[in-house]
Amino acid sequence: MNTHNPPPSQKQLLLLAVSFLTRIPVTLNFEVSTTALNQASRYFALVGVLLAGILSLGYLVFSYFFPASISVALVMALGLILTGAFHEDGLADVWDGFGGGWKVEDKLTIMKDSRLGTYGAAALIIVLLIKFQSLVVLSESLNLLLIALLLGQSLSRIVATSLIADMDYVSHDATSKVKPVAMYLSTESYQILLATGGAVILFAWLFSVLSIWHIFTVILVLTITRFILIHWFKKQLSGYTGDCLGAAQQIAELAVYLTLVSML
């Protein structure tokens, strides 16, 4: 055991969260461990806030030159570049595994396969298409679009990360090369995660066209979505994998946009 390396600071944990969830270049001048990744998960929602800020700025720039629909498409492309399609990859793997496997072992084997199958491709197309159309509709109000990006990017990561606290991690076989994933969420990390969400919700209420009823409806829909995701993952795998968390983020983000569109 190396006693000379101090535990990472909160700033270092935030940088690790940025490095883990995005392709944004950061310098990690400390030893990255499973423990550090578990602790960094407390800042996953804050990374969502960062992404929302960049995407919002991108939309403002794009919309100066292009119509709303093209600007939205460019924003989505920017999001894929920033995250390396990290969560979209998880979504595709989950649908391929759940759709193509009968036993848990078969599903996990399919999910580890780097090739994209029919179920995964269909899920990606549908999710991206609905996301695009929803954001185009929301872009009729600039304020609403920017707040939707903030809520979608941050709250969806709270939903996904919170699953770690209520589900068991499903281990892959020891010979496989799997994506790293946080497997433990401490009480302190959970509190920071929820506090971030609370700050985002308060900001959305104070500085947007959304009423308290709109905010409450979004929270209710995400709560129901989280319950469904837990039931789905437990039924399919008796737990979660990193791919499941990616899928949960995408589904929760889409739930935010659809909820806001339905209340226009």
Side-chain angles (χ1 to χ4, degrees), residues 54-124:
I54 297 174
L55 295 178
S56 297
L57 179 60
Y59 181 82
L60 293 176
V61 173
F62 297 143
S63 62
Y64 185 80
F65 300 98
F66 305 107
S69 58
I70 296 178
S71 299
V72 166
L74 290 173
V75 163
M76 291 177 61
L78 177 60
L80 293 173
I81 293 171
L82 289 172
T83 63
F86 187 50
H87 305 298
E88 288 81 1
D89 181 58
L91 175 75
D93 286 343
V94 163
W95 279 100
D96 274 337
F98 290 6
W102 289 97
K103 296 185 295 185
V104 171
E105 294 77 10
D106 297 333
K107 294 173 185 177
L108 293 175
T109 298
I110 294 173
M111 290 165 68
K112 288 183 293 182
D113 195 327
S114 60
R115 293 170 295 182
L116 180 62
T118 302
Y119 291 105
L124 275 178

Side-chain angles (χ1 to χ4, degrees), residues 12-25:
Q12 290 173 322
L13 291 177
L14 174 57
L15 290 175
L16 176 56
V18 172
S19 175
F20 180 71
L21 292 181
T22 77
R23 296 292 180 88
I24 299 174

Side-chain angles (χ1 to χ4, degrees), residues 200-214:
V200 167
I201 290 170
L202 180 61
F203 180 87
W205 179 45
L206 293 176
F207 298 99
S208 78
V209 296
L210 298 179
S211 67
I212 189 64
W213 167 248
H214 293 130

Side-chain angles (χ1 to χ4, degrees), residues 84-195:
F86 187 50
H87 305 298
E88 288 81 1
D89 181 58
L91 175 75
D93 286 343
V94 163
W95 279 100
D96 274 337
F98 290 6
W102 289 97
K103 296 185 295 185
V104 171
E105 294 77 10
D106 297 333
K107 294 173 185 177
L108 293 175
T109 298
I110 294 173
M111 290 165 68
K112 288 183 293 182
D113 195 327
S114 60
R115 293 170 295 182
L116 180 62
T118 302
Y119 291 105
L124 275 178
I125 292 172
I126 292 298
V127 168
L128 292 175
L129 182 61
I130 297 176
K131 187 184 299 186
F132 168 77
Q133 189 60 49
S134 298
L135 291 176
V136 169
V137 172
L138 293 171
S139 69
E140 295 176 5
S141 166
L142 178 60
N143 178 277
L144 185 56
L145 174 65
L146 300 185
I147 288 297
L149 289 173
L150 176 62
L151 293 174
Q153 294 293 323
S154 58
L155 298 187
S156 64
R157 286 171 171 81
I158 292 177
V159 170
T161 308
S162 70
L163 299 183
I164 300 172
D166 294 329
M167 302 179 68
D168 295 324
Y169 178 71
V170 181
S171 300
H172 294 65
D173 63 83
T175 61
S176 66
K177 294 181 179 179
V178 298
K179 305 168 188 174
V181 59
M183 294 180 284
Y184 175 73
L185 190 66
S186 68
T187 300
E188 180 184 9
S189 293
Y190 210 162
Q191 290 172 343
I192 292 174
L193 196 69
L194 294 178

